[in-house]
Amino acid sequence: MNSKLNVDNIFYYQTVDSTNLTALKHFEEGAPSFSVIVAEEQKQGRGRLGRSWFSPRHNGLWFSLLLRPDNLSPENASPITLVTAAVLAAYFNEKINLPVKIKWPNDLLLGEKKVGGILTEMKAEQDRIIYLIIGIGINVNQQNEDFPNELRCKATSLAGESGIRFRCENLLPALLDELIKAYKLFLNQGFAPFKQRWEIYNVTLGRDISIIVTGVASEESIKGTALGITSGGALRLRDHRGVEQIIHSGEIK
Ligand code: BTN
């Protein structure tokens, strides 16, 4: 799959548990920043909030990027998920004419269904990020019957919505090119250069939503209108009392 990849450090696997976990092993062994870990198949693909991520052979792109930022504070790191979503959505819309949308914070949708997701994991000291691992899963060529029963009504693929079969070996280098350029810009200039692109492709802002926010010991559901996104990538929500809340992480139902 790696014939056209223009990346210095790519680790390519047929099968792994999870490319994020494999990226962590490479981090521990000293792999440099901007290393890419790609797998044909994940046996224990991981989603957000402890969920699993269906990652069969041949039909999708499952990969992770490892960053070792020189000088990034933990509070400035979180928009990287939104940067990733903005870059991917822009690529699919502008380069291959597929109307992929972003649902805050990390879902990529085609129509009402999820076509991709982003799992960002990090290790930080108090004022410095040690690593960021950005894991990206994109359903490329699955047909509806290829998904397990429980996913059929909520997952789709690029091919499932467009009727076009894509070549993963062409898509991956194009996406990596865009992402690596974007991460370099993000490390210099933060979220600002990406905010407008994120806003163009999101389906969250302006809607009345219900969001589950998980605390240390409890879960809270907050209802309100999604007003906007902060420069740090948090969601601005006007709740039923008219009070604006800033939500740093959560799941929109
Ligand atoms: C989500 O939407 O819940 C996030 C899904 C992220 C899936 C990708 S696939 C590549 C990388 N490795 C993993 O184990 N997960 C991410």
Side-chain angles (χ1 to χ4, degrees):
M1 195 204 260
N2 57 355
S3 58
K4 296 178 189 145
L5 286 171
N6 182 21
V7 174
D8 288 342
N9 292 286
I10 177 135
F11 300 95
Y12 171 79
Y13 295 89
Q14 296 271 320
T15 303
V16 292
D17 45 7
S18 147
T19 56
N20 273 29
L21 290 175
T22 309
L24 177 56
K25 287 185 201 136
H26 284 290
F27 164 79
E28 285 161 353
E29 288 163 7
S33 201
F34 297 104
S35 291
V36 177
I37 293 82
V38 188
E40 292 262 335
E41 171 189 40
Q42 300 184 112
K43 292 290 192 194
Q44 289 168 53
R46 297 154 70 215
R48 273 179 90 225
L49 308 169
R51 300 196 181 112
S52 61
W53 181 262
F54 178 60
S55 325
R57 187 176 290 273
H58 298 313
N59 281 336
L61 280 174
W62 328 121
F63 62 102
S64 302
L65 290 109
L66 167 67
L67 304 192
R68 296 170 173 268
D70 287 333
N71 184 19
L72 182 69
S73 66
E75 63 273 19
N76 288 338
S78 32
I80 199 152
T81 301
L82 277 66
V83 168
T84 306
V87 167
L88 295 172
Y91 180 84
F92 289 124
N93 280 271
E94 294 163 20
K95 300 284 169 42
I96 52 179
N97 218 7
L98 284 180
V100 169
K101 300 282 186 243
I102 305 164
K103 180 174 150 198
W104 185 88
N106 74 317
D107 290 351
L108 294 173
L109 308 180
L110 257 176
E112 298 291 307
K113 293 180 170 181
K114 186 153 163 165
V115 71
I118 301 154
L119 177 66
T120 302
E121 300 184 286
M122 60 181 83
K123 181 175 178 187
E125 288 170 351
Q126 194 165 357
D127 52 9
R128 180 178 85 92
I129 291 286
I130 296 169
Y131 69 71
L132 280 164
I133 292 173
I134 306 118
I136 298 168
I138 297 167
N139 299 326
V140 178
N141 285 322
Q142 291 100 327
Q143 296 303 313
N144 193 251
E145 59 275 16
D146 297 328
F147 289 103
N149 273 338
E150 66 279 11
L151 292 182
R152 285 184 191 167
C153 60
K154 46 187 181 193
T156 190
S157 70
L158 301 176
E161 289 307 295
S162 66
I164 303 166
R165 252 190 104 73
F166 291 86
R167 297 180 76 94
C168 292
E169 64 271 31
N170 292 344
L171 266 182
L172 181 65
L175 295 178
L176 285 174
D177 231 40
E178 300 285 333
L179 288 165
I180 289 173
K181 264 193 287 179
Y183 294 154
K184 289 184 176 164
L185 183 61
F186 170 73
L187 292 174
N188 276 318
Q189 295 184 31
F191 183 47
F194 303 95
K195 189 164 180 272
Q196 193 187 11
R197 234 184 299 167
W198 189 91
E199 286 167 349
I200 291 173
Y201 295 116
N202 94 91
V203 289
T204 302
L205 301 188
R207 292 210 172 163
D208 290 335
I209 57 172
S210 172
I211 182 161
I212 311 282
V213 178
T214 308
V216 182
S218 61
E219 263 189 10
E220 189 189 0
S221 170
I222 305 175
K223 287 196 172 64
T225 308
L227 298 178
I229 208 85
T230 69
S231 58
L235 189 64
R236 295 173 42 228
L237 189 83
R238 187 173 54 233
D239 71 14
H240 65 282
R241 296 163 302 170
V243 175
E244 186 172 320
Q245 302 219 20
I246 303 292
I247 314 281
H248 292 277
S249 114
E251 198 188 20
I252 296 173
K253 284 287 132 199

